[in-house]
Amino acid sequence: MPEALHEPFHDIGKQRSAEEAGIWIFLASEVIFFGGLFLGYAVYRLRLPEGYGAAMAETNLTLGIVNTALLLASSATMAFTVWVGREGLQRATVTGLIATLALGTAFLAVKGVEYYEDIRHHLIPGHPDFPVDVPGAEMFFSFYWAMTGLHGLHMAIGLGIIAWTVHAVRSDRIAWRETAHLHVVGLYWNLVDVVWIFLFPLLYLVGR
Amino acid sequence: MSSTDAEGYIAQEPDYLGAGHTVRSWLLTTDHKRIGILYLVTLLFFFLIGGAAATFIRLELATPPGDLVTADTYNRLFTLHGVIMVWFFLVPAVPSTLGNFLLPLAIGARDMAFPKLNLLSWYINLVGGLLALAALLLGGVDTGWTFYTPYSSLYSNSYVTLAALGVFIAGFSTIATGLNFIVTVHTQRCEGLTWMRLPLFVWALYATSMVIVLATPALAVALAMVVMERVFALGLFDPAQGGDPILFQHIFWFYSHPAVYIMILPGFGVVTEVLTCFSRRKVFGYEAMVFAILGIALFGFFVWGHHMFVSGQSAYASLIFSLLSFLIAIPSAIKVFNWSATLYGGHITFEASMLYALGFIGLFTLGGLTGLFLASVPIDVHMHDTYFVTAHFHYIMVGGMVSAFFAGLHFWWPKITGRMYSELWARLAALLMFLGFNFTFFPQFILGYMGMPRRYHSYPDEFEMWNVLSSAGAVILAVAYLMPFVYLGLSVYRGRRAGDNPWQARGLEWQTASPPPRENFGPLPVVTREPYDYHRSDEEPSAREGDLDFPNRSDTETR
Ligand SMILES: [Cu+2]
C-alpha cells in the first residue's frame, strides 16, 4: 500500500483540502484561458452577426447533440467514480473510470468524424472553395476550429490522466482512497465538460 | 523527522547542501531550497544572454549610423533581449529563486505544499527556455517582445511560432509556482503565524501568485491564437477575414500590465525585509502595506488600456484607463511613504543589501512618477514609442526589480550558502549599479523627450551625445552586474561562516541554521509576536548588538 500522506503534511484532511484548493486554483486559470477565446468570439459576433448566422448553419447539429449527450453522460460517470471512490469501492471505481474513458473517447471519435465532414465541405477559413460567402463566416469557422481544437486537446489530456488513473487504482499504485486524487481528476474533467456546455450553444445553436 | 538536541538544534545533521552531492540528487530533488538554487542557475544563464543582447544594442547605438548590425539583425537583438529578460529573468527572478528558497522558511514550514509540482515547474521552465533559445539561435524573432499582430501572425518570416511556444510553456511553469505558493501559504503556516503576522515578503509573494494564476493564461491564449493563425491559417486577427489586430493587444496587455506587478511586487516584499532589518525598525503601517499590496494586485487588472492610447481605442476608454492608471499610483505611493517612515528614527546602517534596497526606492519612485506622465493621454500621445517609454519601464524593471533582486540575494546569501561575502566589494557593486543605471537610462528620458523613437538601429546626429552617454553608462552597469558573480562566487569557497543570523534579523528563516537543514527546522517554530519586532512598540529602536561587520560565530557552529 502506498503512503497516503506526503511531505510536508501531517494530517490527511489538511492534505486533501490542499489538493482540492490546488485544482480549483488551476481551474480558475483555465477559465481565463478559455475566456480569451470566448471574448474573441463575442467581439466578432457583435461586429459580424450575419456571417456568424450563415456559417453556423453549416455546423453539424446532429453530431453536436450526440457529443453533448456523450459528454454529459461521462460527467455523470465521473461523478459516480468520485463518489464510490470516497467509499473505497475499488471495482466500482475502476468501472466508473473506464466508462468515463469510453464516453470521452467516443466524443473524440465523433469529433473526428465531424472534422472529416467539415474538411470535405471546405469549411476551412481562407479556403478558395469556402461555401459561405458572407463576411464573418470565415471568422466563425476560425473560432470553431480554435475552440473545439483546444477543447479537444484538454479532453485528450484528461483521457490520458484517466487512463493512468485506471491503472493506478487497479494496482493500488496510489492511495486513491485517502487522497483527493479522484476528486482532482473529476473536477478537471467537469471543467472540460462545462467548457463544452458553453461551446455547444455558441457553435451550433444560438442564431442558427 | 530529524533528532534534535536539548536546545532544539538539529543534531549534526548535514545541511541541505550536504544532503547529497550527485547530479542526480540535484536534478531529482524535491527540496524547495535546492529547487530555488536550480532556478538561480538557469535564471543567471538567461540574464547573461539577455544582457549580451543589450550590450550589442548599446554598442550599435553608440554611433548615429547603423554600422554594426543591419536593421533586421537589430530587430532580432531587441526581441531577444526583451523575450529573455521579461519571461526568463524578470518574471521568475524573485518568486522562483528567493521565493522558492524562503517562502517555507519564512512561514515556518518544512517544504512547499506540492514539492513534486515545484520540481516539475523548473523542468517546464527549462523546456520553455530551451524552445525560446532554439528560436533565437536558429535565426531569431523580429516582432519585439510584444508579438503584435498582424505582423507576428501574418508577415514575420522569423521563428515566431517556436518563441511563442517557448513563452507559452514557461507560462505554465509560473502558474504551477504561483499555485504552489498560494496553497502553501494557506496550509503550511506554523502555529501562531496568523495572516496579520505574515512578513510582507510573504504577502507580496502571495499577491504575486494570485496575479500569476489569473493573468498568465491570458498571455497563453493570446500566444496560442497567434500560433494557430500562423500554423493553421485561422484568421483570428486577420483583417482580411474581419479580424481585428487590436484584439490581440487587449488580451496581451490584460496579461502584460499585471505582469509588471508580477515582476515588481516580490521586489516590494524583499525591500521591506531589508529596510526594517538595517534600520532596526518596525515597518511603518503594516496593515496599510498589506492592503497596498493587495490593492495593487487587484487594480493592476484594470489599467491595461494605457498601452493602447494611440491604437485607436475609443477616447472614453482611454480616459477611463488613464484615470485608473492614476489611481493605482496611490497604493504604490503608500508603499514609498511607509518605507520612508520606516527609515525615520531608525538606526540605519549601510550594508550592501541596504544600499541596493535604498537604490530600489529611488529608482522605483522615478520610474513610477514618469509612469504618471505616460498615464496621461496627451503626454502619452506625444511620448508613445519614444525612448521616454523605454527609460520609464527600465527604471521600474531594471532599476527597481533588479536592484530588489540583488538586495534580496545579498540579504539572504548568508542563509543560502552559510557564508559571508566581501562587504566592501558588495557595497562598491551596489553603488556602481545605481550610478551606472542612472548613467545609462536617464539620458533616454531626454532622448525620448527630444523625440527619438525606440526600436531603430540608426538615428540623426542630434541625438548622438545622449546616446553616447547612455552607452558609456551601460559599460559601468555591465561591470556592476558582473562583480557579484565574482565576489559571491568566491564567498562560497572562501567566505567566513555566517552563523545563523548575521544581520540579527527577526524573520523565521533566521531561526534555523545557515545553510538550513533538509527539514528546515528542528521542532517547528511557534510565533507569539508581530513581525518585525526589532523594538517594543513603546521603545525607540536600538542599534544592533556586537560588531557590525564581523558577525559573531553562532551557537550552531560551536556546537
Ligand atoms: Cu501598463
Side-chain angles (χ1 to χ4, degrees):
Chain A
M1 249 304 136
E3 184 67 56
L5 209 56
H6 292 288
E7 278 292 331
F9 289 96
H10 296 288
D11 171 17
I12 191 72
K14 208 170 182 183
Q15 182 183 318
R16 275 192 71 102
S17 66
E19 288 164 353
E20 284 163 23
I23 189 68
W24 278 110
I25 293 166
F26 179 71
L27 295 189
S29 83
E30 285 280 45
V31 167
I32 306 276
F33 181 84
F34 280 103
L37 290 168
F38 284 115
L39 173 76
Y41 175 97
V43 167
Y44 294 141
R45 182 175 181 130
L46 214 61
R47 285 191 193 167
L48 310 158
E50 291 86 16
Y52 266 55
M56 195 178 288
E58 299 293 317
T59 55
N60 194 326
L61 183 61
T62 319
L63 292 183
I65 292 173
V66 170
N67 259 347
T68 308
L70 284 173
L71 212 51
L72 284 176
S74 83
S75 248
T77 55
M78 193 71 226
F80 167 79
T81 308
V82 176
W83 186 63
V84 293
R86 199 167 287 164
E87 302 296 315
L89 307 170
Q90 190 168 19
R91 275 184 58 188
T93 306
V94 171
T95 312
L97 284 169
I98 289 178
T100 312
L101 198 63
L103 289 164
T105 312
F107 176 98
L108 284 186
V110 172
K111 197 75 217 161
V113 172
E114 195 183 337
Y115 278 164
Y116 175 76
E117 292 288 310
D118 295 336
I119 292 171
R120 221 164 49 91
H121 291 117
H122 309 301
L123 291 168
I124 302 162
H127 194 283
D129 298 329
F130 190 80
V132 195
D133 191 24
V134 186
E138 287 177 294
M139 184 55 75
F140 174 85
F141 267 94
S142 284
F143 274 92
Y144 168 83
W145 287 101
M147 291 167 123
T148 56
L150 283 171
H151 176 258
L153 184 69
H154 277 79
M155 291 217 37
I157 293 169
L159 289 174
I161 295 170
I162 292 174
W164 182 83
T165 307
V166 169
H167 164 73
V169 170
R170 204 185 252 153
S171 59
D172 275 323
R173 267 193 60 173
I174 54 168
W176 53 275
R177 289 180 183 84
E178 296 85 1
T179 64
H181 182 88
L182 291 173
H183 195 124
V184 165
V185 176
L187 279 172
Y188 174 80
W189 189 254
N190 284 329
L191 175 91
V192 174
D193 260 19
V194 168
V195 171
W196 180 259
I197 301 285
F198 284 95
L199 287 185
F200 175 61
L202 289 181
L203 297 177
Y204 296 85
L205 294 180
V206 183
R208 197 175 180 95
Chain B
M1 182 69 49
S2 23
S3 59
T4 54
D5 65 15
E7 281 88 30
Y9 287 115
I10 297 171
Q12 301 301 328
E13 193 201 321
D15 57 56
Y16 79 99
L17 291 169
H21 294 285
T22 56
V23 175
R24 192 187 150 85
S25 76
W26 279 91
L27 293 183
L28 293 179
T29 183
T30 53
D31 182 350
H32 67 99
K33 299 183 286 301
R34 285 193 166 206
I35 295 168
I37 304 284
L38 289 176
Y39 264 116
L40 187 65
V41 172
T42 46
L43 201 80
L44 292 176
F45 171 70
F46 286 117
F47 181 66
L48 289 178
I49 292 181
T55 310
F56 281 108
I57 291 171
R58 279 323 316 169
L59 219 55
E60 167 61 66
L61 292 177
T63 54
D67 40 18
L68 179 69
V69 293
T70 62
D72 186 47
T73 311
Y74 186 80
N75 291 346
R76 286 160 205 256
L77 274 175
F78 70 67
T79 305
L80 169 84
H81 171 67
V83 168
I84 293 289
M85 283 303 202
V86 169
W87 284 298
F88 298 97
F89 177 72
L90 286 168
V91 165
V94 169
S96 298
T97 56
L98 297 173
N100 239 328
F101 195 100
L102 289 156
L103 181 73
L105 285 162
I107 61 173
R110 300 208 184 276
D111 208 323
M112 291 287 184
F114 307 119
K116 283 183 192 159
L117 180 69
N118 201 9
L119 179 65
L120 182 67
S121 83
W122 182 70
Y123 279 102
I124 298 174
N125 185 274
L126 200 63
V127 171
L130 291 179
L131 273 182
L133 209 58
L136 303 163
L137 290 178
L138 284 170
V141 184
D142 61 357
T143 61
W145 74 280
T146 47
F147 293 107
Y148 267 16
T149 54
Y151 184 69
S152 64
S153 50
L154 292 175
Y155 302 109
S156 174
N157 283 322
S158 56
Y159 291 84
V160 176
T161 305
L162 209 54
L165 280 178
V167 173
F168 177 87
I169 290 171
F172 284 100
S173 153
T174 51
I175 291 177
T177 302
L179 185 159
N180 217 340
F181 281 10
I182 296 174
V183 177
T184 303
V185 174
H186 274 277
T187 61
Q188 299 295 312
R189 281 170 293 131
C190 68
E191 203 183 322
L193 190 59
T194 58
W195 283 90
M196 280 299 154
R197 283 178 180 172
L198 285 179
L200 288 167
F201 181 51
V202 174
W203 267 114
L205 287 174
Y206 182 79
T208 306
S209 303
M210 286 287 189
V211 181
I212 285 176
V213 167
L214 295 177
T216 314
L219 171 74
V221 77
L223 293 178
M225 283 157 93
V226 168
V227 168
M228 286 189 288
E229 184 156 353
R230 283 182 77 88
V231 177
F232 303 113
L234 302 182
L236 298 168
F237 301 115
D238 180 2
Q241 292 185 30
D244 189 344
I246 303 295
L247 180 65
F248 173 83
Q249 294 186 21
H250 276 290
I251 305 176
F252 179 83
W253 288 113
F254 181 80
Y255 161 78
S256 286
H257 186 83
V260 173
Y261 298 110
I262 295 176
M263 297 180 235
I264 200 77
L265 277 174
F268 289 170
V270 169
V271 165
T272 310
E273 302 300 308
V274 174
L275 285 180
T276 48
C277 176
F278 296 114
S279 60
R280 316 305 299 163
R281 265 294 250 127
K282 263 188 205 306
V283 68
F284 181 86
Y286 175 86
E287 283 88 359
M289 291 295 244
V290 170
F291 287 111
I293 289 175
L294 296 177
I296 290 170
L298 179 68
F299 287 120
F301 279 101
F302 304 108
V303 300
W304 76 87
H306 64 212
H307 296 269
M308 300 164 60
F309 288 160
V310 299
S311 294
Q313 72 182 358
S314 85
Y316 299 108
S318 288
L319 284 179
I320 288 170
F321 279 123
S322 171
L323 177 71
L324 289 169
S325 307
F326 276 112
L327 288 181
I328 205 169
I330 297 172
S332 313
I334 289 176
K335 298 205 70 77
V336 174
F337 287 131
N338 282 9
W339 286 323
S340 315
T342 303
L343 292 173
Y344 181 76
H347 270 264
I348 300 173
T349 49
F350 296 98
E351 277 75 5
S353 43
M354 183 66 160
L355 292 178
Y356 281 114
L358 291 172
F360 168 94
I361 297 180
L363 299 176
F364 171 75
T365 304
L366 208 61
L369 289 176
T370 49
L372 289 181
F373 292 25
L374 294 173
S376 107
V377 179
I379 299 183
D380 184 72
V381 170
H382 180 61
M383 300 289 202
H384 196 87
D385 268 342
T386 68
Y387 265 86
F388 193 89
V389 178
T390 313
H392 153 68
F393 71 75
H394 278 84
Y395 263 80
I396 301 278
M397 306 282 68
V398 189
M401 186 54 203
V402 179
S403 294
F405 174 67
F406 275 102
L409 196 62
H410 284 78
F411 184 59
W412 283 297
W413 188 259
K415 181 54 61 185
I416 295 171
T417 63
R419 305 282 182 156
M420 299 302 289
Y421 46 83
S422 159
E423 190 63 47
L424 179 72
W425 282 102
R427 287 183 200 188
L428 205 62
L431 289 174
L432 217 53
M433 201 175 290
F434 185 77
L435 189 79
F437 180 83
N438 283 303
F439 209 152
T440 310
F441 289 99
F442 198 83
Q444 297 186 9
F445 278 128
I446 298 164
L447 281 169
Y449 186 75
M450 289 163 73
M452 179 169 166
R454 57 195 283 212
R455 295 183 167 177
Y456 281 84
H457 80 316
S458 61
Y459 52 84
D461 291 338
E462 68 213 69
F463 298 133
E464 183 170 10
M465 182 182 79
W466 298 107
N467 269 302
V468 169
L469 274 181
S470 181
S471 290
V475 176
I476 302 177
L477 196 56
V479 171
Y481 283 146
L482 291 175
M483 278 168 67
F485 282 87
V486 179
Y487 63 78
L488 288 181
L490 279 178
S491 78
V492 175
Y493 301 101
R494 296 224 210 121
R496 278 193 323 277
R497 298 259 169 212
D500 293 358
N501 191 358
W503 316 122
Q504 298 169 27
R506 291 293 191 271
L508 290 177
E509 70 271 25
W510 301 103
Q511 294 186 15
T512 185
S514 309
R518 169 66 183 90
E519 305 259 325
N520 288 353
F521 297 96
L524 287 179
V526 177
V527 177
T528 53
R529 283 183 294 184
E530 306 303 305
Y532 312 109
D533 57 332
Y534 287 100
H535 57 99
R536 290 197 5 220
S537 39
D538 53 348
E539 277 175 7
E540 289 296 303
S542 53
R544 224 162 30 173
E545 298 148 24
D547 189 338
L548 294 190
D549 277 326
F550 295 94
N552 294 322
R553 295 175 75 87
S554 75
D555 308 335
T556 22
E557 259 190 287
T558 47
R559 74 171 179 244

